Amino acid sequence: MSSAAEQEAAPGPSREDVLAPASVPPPQPGPPVWPGSPQPLGARFRTGPDGVTGTNFALWAGGAEAVEVCLFDDDGTETRCPLTELTHEIWHGFLPGVSPGRRYGFRVHGRWDPWTGARWNPAKLLLDPYARAVDGEFGLPPEVYGHVRDWPQQHVADTVRDDRDSAPHVPKGVVVFDETPGDEWADDRRPKTPWADTVLYELHVRGFTMRHPGVPERLRGTYAGLAHPAAIEHLTALGVTAVELLPVHQFAHEDHLLRRGLRNYWGYNSIGYFAPHAGYAATGTRGEQVGEFKRMVRALHAAGIEVILDVVYNHTAEANELGPTLSLRGIDNRGYYRLQPDPRRYADYTGCGNTLHVVQPQVLRLITDSLRYWVTEMGVDGFRFDLAAALARSMHDVDMLSPFLAVIAQDPVLRRVKLVAEPWDIGSGGYQVGAFPPLWTEWNDRYRDTVRDFWRGRLHGVRDLGYRLSGSSDLYAWGGRRPYASVNFVTAHDGFTLRDLVSHQQKHNEANGEGNRDGTDDNRSWNCGAEGETGDPEITALRRRQLRNFLTTLLLSTGVPMLVAGDEMGRTQRGNNNGYCQDNPTGWLDWSLAADPGWRELRALTARLIALRRAHPVLRRRAFFSGRPQGPEGLRDLAWFTPAGREMTEQDWYAPAATLAMYLSGRDIPGRDERGGPVTDDSFLVLLHAHHEPLPFTLPGPPWARGYELLVDTSREDQAEPPGTRHRGGAELTLPARSVQLLRVRHDPAASG
């Protein structure tokens, strides 16, 4: 590392280079600007006075001294049009003759005073926060930074303003034609799957179809590719009810990735909250991406599949004070971002350099306007909020009565859609699993960790496993919340794939270019005896059994299961547990696995388990189990048994064990059917055995059951058809090592024969 003196002496751009505008063609004089309207925000094509068509532009820029709309012709010629009307800190004007497809941006004038948080710089073309389409990509050359990025003294670089024009290097917003609202997104046109019946499937729009042989090559990696019948057929055959799409808001690539020849793949670097990411469009980026996205949603809805967006409102792609000036920083830095007591610096609860200041009314409005837009005009059915705890902070602490949560709770549009919280951020007090209010469901990482520990043989006792299998009542049985408040998952985009979870003891992220330092070290994985891929048939067989164990456990647990695309057919990232920058075959789904006989049975088992959930309400309960005796026989709706066939005692819950038996009673399930009648179902016994040796198990006899029918046995390689073996109540069976068995309870007299 060089000394401070060496850094100061290092060559860099001269003051003359960066403090004077670069040699660029002068902007053209703009057309007359009519007063227009401060509402709605953004660029809206409409008919103005005297029937003249044009576009109304409106931008909230609190504290700014002047705002210009900058229009761009196809050859890049820029026309600047000052907005002179100011209403409640909203600059606005109507430009006659500006039609859909026209590219534009803003230049905002004001003080450059980073020591007080003021970072206005009119040399930087800014993306409209309300732009509904974006044309072009963000490269990040020095000109895109509001300060001198390569200033020799880096500790003060953010205070030196860079006056070079950024317009040639940044994408532009696009004026989009407003369709006449219809009833295509009305409630009766949506799948509207109840939460308790939902099976989530997390996928990446680009990665899901990039290698799909049934999708035409020109459509792969796009919204149109996901809408293709070949892609949808996989979802419907599997039986999932909703896709949870990794971020599709317009995002930018980080500078450190571009310097290493990589790109942001996951998309958790948003910069345009209204615009579908242009890189996923097959039909064009001058507004065509909007229609293509809508057609994708229609196709999924027609197949009975809801669309949930993973959204990143906690931070933007502008990073910290050393990041680029792309949009909000240059519009009103102090208004949009949380700043530290030293306002040169940003409060960072996200690990990404900045945090949006959601307590500010205009920031809250930006987020809620965006959410409503995606529901009412783009047709989506819900949202998964990345680092939701950061949005729930009031001034500093996480507050479940925060403005953000309060606004969502009373909004007539948003309170009716699916809301999923990632209930943590990296700030103090940011871990909030189980704390979100009743409208919300949550990613339950306690479920993930417990199930992983159980199947790798590192869970001390089974008490926590019992809670996770039965809906996590210890976390969610308060305030009217239901079992479906828990989104159960074993894997997610962030971390090992399911196959890698049983194939790698450590992460292997060397391809990310960060010296394998990125990504979590807390994987709770077990490689079954060898690191990475192996030709050992015993290890391979054990790994596949473990995959069946994980999927069966997940899909038989009470709560909302979430699968990750490709886990059902053995997708691998070769041990990379942080594939955020792997926009290549590492991150894309390998569809050759679907035709591989070795993985076909895993997919068949997953589909059969989802079908079992759909057919049996006892596996997708809408209310927590009571655990109390019910009915004339005094059977509990949920009971737990030891391998000796007796009900577990309090002492048993705390004793070391690797086996748990869960009895789910289908009698008198709480709630009523659509006609007001009682809900009844079969009863089931689920046996989970994580030890490496077989175990004798005595099946509970009458009154619990006269007999049992075996439906699922994960020790079997062949899972295409149910085993069908029958057992008498009270009989002893041998649980195979590391296996799950699902048995249907039989009460008829013939079952005891």
Side-chain angles (χ1 to χ4, degrees):
M1 181 178 294
S2 60
S3 67
E6 290 172 330
Q7 289 179 0
E8 291 187 10
S14 70
R15 183 175 296 269
E16 290 75 17
D17 288 337
V18 298
L19 297 185
S23 177
V24 294
Q28 299 298 311
V33 181
W34 297 356
S37 169
Q39 305 295 339
L41 292 171
R44 291 298 180 100
F45 176 71
R46 63 179 178 84
T47 301
D50 301 322
V52 176
T53 59
T55 298
N56 191 83
F57 293 91
L59 177 73
W60 178 80
E65 296 172 0
V67 172
E68 296 170 301
V69 173
C70 304
L71 305 175
F72 291 86
D73 296 336
D74 290 343
D75 63 1
T77 300
E78 177 181 355
T79 302
R80 298 185 187 178
C81 308
L83 298 180
T84 57
E85 299 296 321
L86 181 61
T87 306
H88 304 310
E89 298 186 316
I90 297 173
W91 300 79
H92 56 91
F94 180 84
L95 272 66
V98 174
S99 302
R102 191 69 179 271
R103 299 182 303 154
Y104 73 99
F106 290 108
R107 295 184 188 271
V108 181
H109 300 253
R111 291 184 305 113
W112 175 262
D113 187 10
W115 294 269
T116 63
R119 293 182 179 271
W120 285 286
N121 184 346
K124 308 306 166 184
L125 185 75
L126 305 175
L127 184 68
D128 178 6
Y130 280 73
R132 289 175 295 160
V134 175
D135 180 56
E137 279 199 358
F138 285 101
L140 295 179
E143 291 86 352
V144 173
Y145 291 74
H147 66 282
V148 182
R149 187 190 70 180
D150 301 320
W151 193 251
Q153 295 83 29
Q154 278 292 294
H155 64 286
V156 295
D158 70 290
T159 68
V160 183
R161 195 173 83 168
D162 187 323
D163 286 332
R164 290 173 290 188
D165 184 21
S166 70
H169 310 284
V170 295
K172 282 74 178 176
V174 179
V175 177
V176 174
F177 180 75
D178 279 326
E179 295 182 6
T180 303
D183 63 352
E184 61 178 331
W185 308 129
D187 282 353
D188 59 352
R189 300 289 186 93
R190 297 173 181 262
K192 289 190 67 66
T193 306
W195 258 127
D197 302 341
T198 297
V199 177
L200 296 172
Y201 190 77
E202 188 191 46
L203 66 82
H204 190 287
V205 168
R206 178 170 167 82
F208 189 69
T209 60
M210 276 299 292
R211 304 174 73 184
H212 197 305
V215 175
E217 190 169 349
R218 63 183 178 82
L219 301 182
R220 293 177 188 172
T222 69
Y223 306 117
L226 182 54
H228 192 274
I232 291 179
E233 189 278 332
H234 179 81
L235 304 174
T236 55
L238 204 56
V240 299
T241 69
V243 290
E244 184 176 297
L245 305 182
L246 266 67
V248 297
H249 288 164
Q250 185 70 38
F251 63 87
H253 305 290
E254 294 90 333
D255 182 63
H256 69 91
L257 292 178
L258 295 174
R259 289 172 185 240
R260 295 201 298 268
L262 298 170
R263 295 159 54 87
N264 187 306
Y265 173 56
W266 286 347
Y268 290 92
N269 207 37
S270 300
I271 196 62
Y273 290 132
F274 290 77
H277 185 64
Y280 301 157
T283 52
T285 60
R286 298 289 283 268
E288 296 90 349
Q289 61 265 55
V290 177
E292 185 177 332
F293 185 93
K294 290 180 180 181
R295 289 190 292 274
M296 177 196 72
V297 174
R298 292 188 194 106
L300 289 164
H301 281 181
I305 297 170
E306 293 184 303
V307 178
I308 295 174
L309 303 188
D310 194 334
V311 289
V312 188
Y313 294 111
N314 55 77
H315 75 279
T316 76
E318 292 185 301
N320 63 15
E321 62 273 9
L322 296 176
T325 295
L326 309 175
S327 182
L328 305 183
R329 192 198 309 278
I331 295 171
D332 186 352
N333 184 57
R334 295 176 297 190
Y336 278 108
Y337 292 115
R338 290 179 180 267
L339 304 180
Q340 294 185 20
D342 172 5
R344 265 184 68 192
R345 315 297 182 193
Y346 292 79
D348 183 8
Y349 296 110
T350 67
C352 300
N354 64 58
T355 307
L356 280 185
H357 201 352
V358 181
V359 175
Q360 291 277 15
Q362 289 296 337
V363 180
L364 185 58
R365 177 183 177 182
L366 170 68
I367 294 172
T368 53
D369 282 354
S370 168
L371 292 169
R372 281 189 293 268
Y373 172 77
W374 286 96
V375 173
T376 59
E377 298 194 41
M378 302 295 274
V380 306
D381 305 287
F383 306 93
R384 178 265 187 188
F385 291 82
D386 180 67
L387 300 182
L391 299 172
R393 289 183 181 270
S394 290
M395 293 311 297
H396 300 288
D397 297 333
V398 178
D399 179 5
M400 292 305 157
L401 297 176
S402 67
F404 172 74
L405 294 178
V407 166
I408 296 291
Q410 60 78 44
D411 189 282
V413 172
L414 301 180
R415 69 189 181 200
R416 295 162 55 194
V417 301
K418 287 183 165 67
L419 303 171
V420 184
E422 183 182 38
W424 52 77
D425 64 24
I426 69 165
S428 175
Y431 186 76
Q432 294 289 326
V433 172
F436 275 71
L439 271 180
W440 292 76
T441 66
E442 301 175 14
W443 271 26
N444 186 352
D445 67 330
R446 293 272 300 274
Y447 180 95
R448 175 199 63 197
D449 292 349
T450 298
V451 171
R452 287 187 179 192
D453 281 346
F454 177 74
W455 286 114
R456 70 180 179 135
R458 297 288 295 275
L459 194 65
H460 304 292
V462 292
R463 182 173 183 269
D464 201 46
L465 181 65
Y467 276 122
R468 305 307 145 231
L469 295 175
S470 58
S472 295
S473 60
D474 58 329
L475 299 175
Y476 302 112
W478 64 272
R481 302 189 81 182
R482 299 297 184 95
Y484 46 78
S486 176
V487 172
N488 300 329
F489 65 103
V490 177
T491 59
H493 66 275
D494 187 1
F496 280 147
T497 68
L498 198 61
R499 179 174 169 182
D500 289 352
L501 188 67
V502 301
S503 304
H504 296 275
Q505 209 79 3
Q506 290 90 28
K507 65 188 181 185
H508 297 273
N509 298 355
E510 291 81 5
N512 295 355
E514 300 178 38
N516 206 35
R517 295 183 299 273
D518 62 302
T520 183
D521 293 312
D522 184 21
N523 295 294
R524 302 174 188 244
S525 60
W526 177 48
N527 64 17
C528 297
E531 186 69 6
E533 296 303 306
T534 177
D536 187 317
E538 291 188 5
I539 292 178
T540 298
L542 175 57
R543 288 175 175 176
R544 297 195 182 198
R545 179 180 296 201
Q546 288 287 80
L547 295 183
R548 295 192 291 271
N549 289 336
F550 278 121
L551 287 169
T552 303
T553 303
L554 175 65
L555 290 166
L556 295 181
S557 297
T558 300
V560 179
M562 185 183 78
L563 301 166
V564 178
D567 275 353
E568 73 279 8
M569 53 188 185
R571 175 177 169 261
T572 177
Q573 293 184 167
R574 305 293 179 183
N576 191 321
N577 76 349
N578 190 32
Y580 79 105
C581 57
Q582 296 300 317
D583 187 5
N584 52 49
T586 296
W588 304 338
L589 203 159
D590 180 4
W591 285 95
S592 69
L593 296 168
D596 186 333
W599 296 109
R600 191 179 301 139
E601 298 300 333
L602 186 66
R603 180 181 171 187
L605 173 64
T606 306
R608 188 155 62 84
L609 288 166
I610 293 174
L612 274 169
R613 275 188 79 90
R614 186 169 59 247
H616 293 285
V618 72
L619 299 178
R620 43 185 174 81
R621 287 175 56 105
R622 288 162 165 75
F624 286 105
F625 296 97
S626 71
R628 295 187 295 270
Q630 297 178 339
E633 295 177 324
L635 301 183
R636 306 176 192 278
D637 58 356
L638 174 67
W640 308 92
F641 291 89
T642 69
R646 61 172 176 80
E647 284 194 76
M648 293 178 67
T649 64
E650 186 70 13
Q651 185 177 0
D652 292 324
W653 284 112
Y654 293 93
T659 307
L660 185 62
M662 176 174 65
Y663 184 99
L664 304 170
S665 174
R667 300 183 179 185
D668 300 322
I669 297 174
R672 295 185 294 172
D673 64 21
E674 293 179 350
R675 297 178 180 272
V679 179
T680 59
D681 192 11
D682 293 330
S683 298
F684 295 93
L685 183 67
V686 184
L687 308 177
L688 301 97
H689 178 53
H691 198 264
H692 63 273
E693 296 288 345
L695 177 74
F697 191 97
T698 301
L699 295 168
W704 298 100
R706 291 177 178 269
Y708 298 87
E709 178 187 3
L710 182 63
L711 299 182
V712 174
D713 178 1
T714 63
S715 70
R716 293 162 42 102
E717 284 281 352
D718 180 8
Q719 291 290 325
E721 297 295 334
T725 308
R726 297 193 175 189
H727 301 277
R728 179 173 50 83
E732 183 180 278
L733 60 80
T734 299
L735 285 180
R738 296 192 176 98
S739 67
V740 181
Q741 297 204 350
L742 173 66
L743 301 103
R744 189 192 336 249
V745 170
R746 301 182 66 209
H747 291 287
D748 54 293
S752 62

